[in-house]
Amino acid sequence: MKDHHKLLTIGQFAAMHGINKKTLMWYDEIGLLKPAFIHPENGYRFYTYYQSPILETILLLRELDVSIKEIQQFMKNRCASSLKILLEEKIKDLDSQIAHLLAVKTTLQSHQKNMTTLLTMDLSEITIIEKKKRRLVTVDIGKDASFEETVERITAETEKHHLGRLHHASYGSMIPVSSLEKGDYDDYTKLFIELPNLTENAHFHAAPKGRYLRAFHQGDWNAIPQRYKEIFAFAKKHHLTLCEYSYEMGINENVIDRIEDYIVQIEIPIL
């Protein structure tokens, strides 16, 4: 390109890079990118083709949320090694943001699935479903644990796993099938938190993959034992063995105002 040294007006240079002229004027004022030439009579700013890579680097760093101060420091010592270090830091930040967005997407998809279930399900129906293996963070609870103690344990777990807010996860309660078989319908032993993209760890509870019985209960918690009796009757009729834990999870808290409308999803592994 033979016109590398040709002077471009501030308007032409701004248009070429898809920015506003005022941005270039501001970069000039703070010493970030000076024009190649300023007309001595009218003060008009002019730029050259060779300044394009510099401006594009500045714009890239701004897009990565690098502060003006950091960019100014980089421009004073502009070299391959300093840019490499700066970009490595920003790549780590981007990886963290991407992981967060993927987790948020997973949560949204879970909520979307719950809403689809709400609109299409038959509350009286008991079905057999397939589930993938899941890793769950669990909090031990017991009949003697106070509400305050339970909240403290949940808070400690969410902080340990850097879970900013509970809407970033699915959560519920667990009751052993052995307790249900004995008619002890209040023997909730754990709360579970299902974090998106949870890594393999021996300390996490493994909810097995395979077939599960799924049922729903709406309304008064005092009536949930009756629902479990119906579930066990269904399992007996179809020669199914329930095992491990029943996983209970509310699926409509964000769209109801009355506890009478609360719907619990019950899922139990079967053999």
Side-chain angles (χ1 to χ4, degrees), residues 7-68:
L7 294 178
L8 302 169
T9 68
I10 188 172
Q12 290 172 326
F13 196 61
M16 189 167 69
H17 293 277
I19 60 175
N20 193 287
K21 290 192 297 183
K22 291 183 178 180
T23 301
L24 287 174
M25 294 171 66
W26 181 50
Y27 287 170
D28 180 13
E29 291 171 6
I30 64 176
L32 196 55
L33 180 64
K34 291 289 186 180
F37 174 73
I38 298 179
H39 198 287
E41 296 181 3
N42 54 31
Y44 288 172
R45 297 172 172 86
F46 293 89
Y47 298 82
T48 69
Y49 171 84
Y50 284 109
Q51 290 180 287
S52 286
I54 300 173
L55 177 57
E56 282 300 323
T57 300
I58 293 171
L59 296 176
L60 171 63
L61 295 176
R62 291 296 293 149
E63 190 173 345
L64 294 173
D65 290 328
V66 180
S67 69
I68 289 294

Side-chain angles (χ1 to χ4, degrees), residues 107 110 114 136 166-172 192-196 249:
T107 302
S110 176
N114 286 344
L136 308 177
L166 281 177
H167 76 240
H168 291 163
S170 299
Y171 52 96
F192 71 83
I193 306 170
E194 185 174 0
L195 302 176
M249 183 175 67

